[in-house]
Amino acid sequence: MTVRTTAARLLGASQSRRALSGRLALCAIAIVGLAYSALLSGLPVRQSLIEDSNHAQDVWHPAPGVLAGSQVIRPVTSDHFEALLKQADFDLQAVRAETAAVPRIYVRRLPVDLVEVDDTLRRKKLFFGAMLPLILMANEELRAERAHVEALRDRYPAVTRETGLAQLTDVDRRWLEAVHDRYETEAGDWQALLLRLDEIPVSLIMAQAIQESGWGTSRFARDGNALFGQRTWNPDEEGLVPDLRSEGQTYRVKSFPDLMAAVRSYMRNLNTHDAYQDLRAQRAKLRKQPANAPGRQLASSLTRYSEESAGYVKALRGLIRDNDLSALNRARLRPNHDLVASRGPADL
């Protein structure tokens, strides 16, 4: 497949926990310890095919709190993955109808033979089965991190860009400094940070993953877990050389240790790169005026994501429409009671 990107995509617990009120649960989510997010990608995981990260002692726990309790899946073939989805009770039709939630399954890579699946509907279902839980969990991470930033803002109302973070406790300051650094904002600039630290509509992420990876069948998706065509010019980063790269070009398509790493990298790209300032501004407005189709609306801000410019936006909107991806914006993960028992930064 041809990579349709431009240089704009640079860098690219307790017995009573079930009785906690919704407000307490939300507060618990807000203090999830995401300070270790840099460690979440590429750590070794046992070579079993389906693992319960609650119980297996030698299994990589994908993340503290937010991803605890998810099943780590490394499917071999499409038939095997289909069986695992059935075992996890993943029902895409029921999810669309809002009568079922999405299981917390952490799929590390796509089946090796996905490209050989001739049945279009079956191939799409497998792709949705791999991607939808990851997208929802990645957005859950962003939502939890944003909630904690908002809690710190309310706890330290005198903190501004001019005062810096000296008023914060050591633990709060270290955590917030790491978040500011990750989102490339000045310490104490709450507004700038919250403008970047926000979710991305499921429909938009899914549409771009489909467009850029050909429903997960491209060489970059198969060999490098590269779903979004992000380019890298950094020789220290892993990447794949496109077959049709022009003479004199040195970029490669950035590759990742697993699918979630690709999703996180894509989200950070949209949330930090200067090319997508308009997307972030539109998203902030949609927070005040909820839209029925935020993915379709925000797609208009992605003309710089591809050399096809307006044609790329049209393609994304077509994918969202033809595959009813907007319905997935309402998809929800199954409850994770580990969330309300998770330790936050103040407890570390």
Side-chain angles (χ1 to χ4, degrees), residues 284-291:
K285 292 179 181 178
L286 292 177
R287 269 190 161 270
K288 301 175 182 178
Q289 300 175 349

Side-chain angles (χ1 to χ4, degrees), residues 32-43 60-67 106 137-138 140-142 144-146 174-183 197 256-258 260-265 267-268 343 345 348:
V32 169
L34 294 175
Y36 304 109
S37 61
L39 301 176
L40 301 183
S41 301
L43 297 180
W60 164 44
H61 289 233
V66 170
L67 294 183
Y106 193 107
M137 286 189 285
E140 187 175 67
E141 288 179 338
L142 288 173
E145 197 166 35
R146 180 185 174 91
R174 289 196 301 269
W175 186 87
L176 190 56
E177 283 175 342
V179 176
H180 273 299
D181 183 62
R182 188 160 59 253
Y183 288 95
L197 179 51
F256 301 91
D258 62 16
M260 180 60 105
V263 173
R264 289 192 182 110
S265 178
M267 287 181 162
R268 185 179 180 278
R343 297 170 63 193
L348 298 177

Side-chain angles (χ1 to χ4, degrees), residues 224 230 232 234-240 252-257:
Q230 290 180 270
T232 180
N234 187 343
D236 296 327
E237 289 184 328
E238 295 292 328
L240 302 171
R252 291 166 298 140
V253 177
K254 191 174 180 179
S255 59
F256 301 91

Side-chain angles (χ1 to χ4, degrees), residues 15-75:
Q15 294 179 344
S16 62
R17 67 187 182 189
R18 293 177 181 271
L20 288 175
S21 68
R23 176 174 295 179
L24 287 176
L26 182 59
C27 290
I29 291 175
I31 62 171
V32 169
L34 294 175
Y36 304 109
S37 61
L39 301 176
L40 301 183
S41 301
L43 297 180
V45 63
R46 189 178 64 188
Q47 298 299 309
S48 60
L49 300 177
I50 181 167
E51 302 150 355
D52 187 338
S53 63
N54 270 331
H55 306 295
Q57 296 301 311
D58 56 343
V59 173
W60 164 44
H61 289 233
V66 170
L67 294 183
S70 62
Q71 290 178 313
V72 181
I73 294 178
R74 193 184 184 98

Side-chain angles (χ1 to χ4, degrees), residues 230-295:
Q230 290 180 270
R231 291 181 178 182
T232 180
W233 285 259
N234 187 343
D236 296 327
E237 289 184 328
E238 295 292 328
L240 302 171
V241 177
D243 293 334
L244 301 179
R245 188 176 68 180
S246 301
E247 185 177 354
Q249 294 286 345
T250 60
Y251 73 87
R252 291 166 298 140
V253 177
K254 191 174 180 179
S255 59
F256 301 91
D258 62 16
L259 297 175
M260 180 60 105
V263 173
R264 289 192 182 110
S265 178
Y266 156 85
M267 287 181 162
R268 185 179 180 278
N269 187 30
L270 291 196
N271 279 334
T272 60
H273 200 286
D274 289 344
Y276 313 119
Q277 292 183 55
D278 185 50
L279 179 144
R280 298 190 290 270
Q282 284 195 47
R283 179 177 61 186
K285 292 179 181 178
L286 292 177
R287 269 190 161 270
K288 301 175 182 178
Q289 300 175 349
N292 292 324

Side-chain angles (χ1 to χ4, degrees), residues 76-230:
V76 178
T77 66
S78 295
D79 287 343
H80 176 242
F81 186 34
E82 205 164 42
L84 294 179
L85 289 176
K86 184 176 181 180
Q87 178 183 335
D89 196 23
F90 177 79
D91 187 335
L92 182 60
Q93 185 175 354
V95 169
R96 290 182 182 279
E98 301 181 63
T99 59
V102 178
R104 291 176 176 271
I105 52 178
Y106 193 107
V107 182
R108 296 215 68 196
R109 63 181 305 113
L110 295 167
V112 295
D113 64 345
L114 185 62
V115 69
E116 300 170 12
V117 176
D118 294 326
D119 186 327
T120 301
L121 292 179
R122 182 179 179 230
R123 186 170 64 247
K124 288 183 176 183
K125 182 178 179 181
L126 292 171
F127 188 75
F128 283 130
M131 294 304 301
L132 185 55
L134 297 179
I135 292 170
L136 291 176
M137 286 189 285
N139 266 333
E140 187 175 67
E141 288 179 338
L142 288 173
R143 188 161 59 249
E145 197 166 35
R146 180 185 174 91
H148 188 59
V149 168
E150 291 175 327
L152 290 179
R153 178 197 59 190
D154 295 343
R155 188 184 307 167
Y156 302 103
V159 168
T160 65
R161 186 173 57 183
E162 286 72 29
T163 65
L165 306 181
Q167 301 177 40
L168 277 67
T169 65
D170 287 344
V171 170
D172 286 342
R173 187 181 67 255
R174 289 196 301 269
W175 186 87
L176 190 56
E177 283 175 342
V179 176
H180 273 299
D181 183 62
R182 188 160 59 253
Y183 288 95
E184 303 173 18
T185 54
E186 293 187 53
D189 193 338
W190 303 106
Q191 183 176 359
L193 178 56
L194 290 172
L195 187 65
R196 295 185 171 205
L197 179 51
D198 207 347
E199 299 173 64
I200 298 171
V202 175
S203 56
L204 184 61
I205 305 174
M206 195 70 78
Q208 290 201 263
I210 294 167
Q211 178 73 5
E212 296 291 340
S213 75
W215 291 93
T217 64
S218 72
R219 176 170 70 91
F220 306 113
R222 299 195 312 271
D223 297 343
N225 294 307
L227 300 166
F228 302 97
Q230 290 180 270

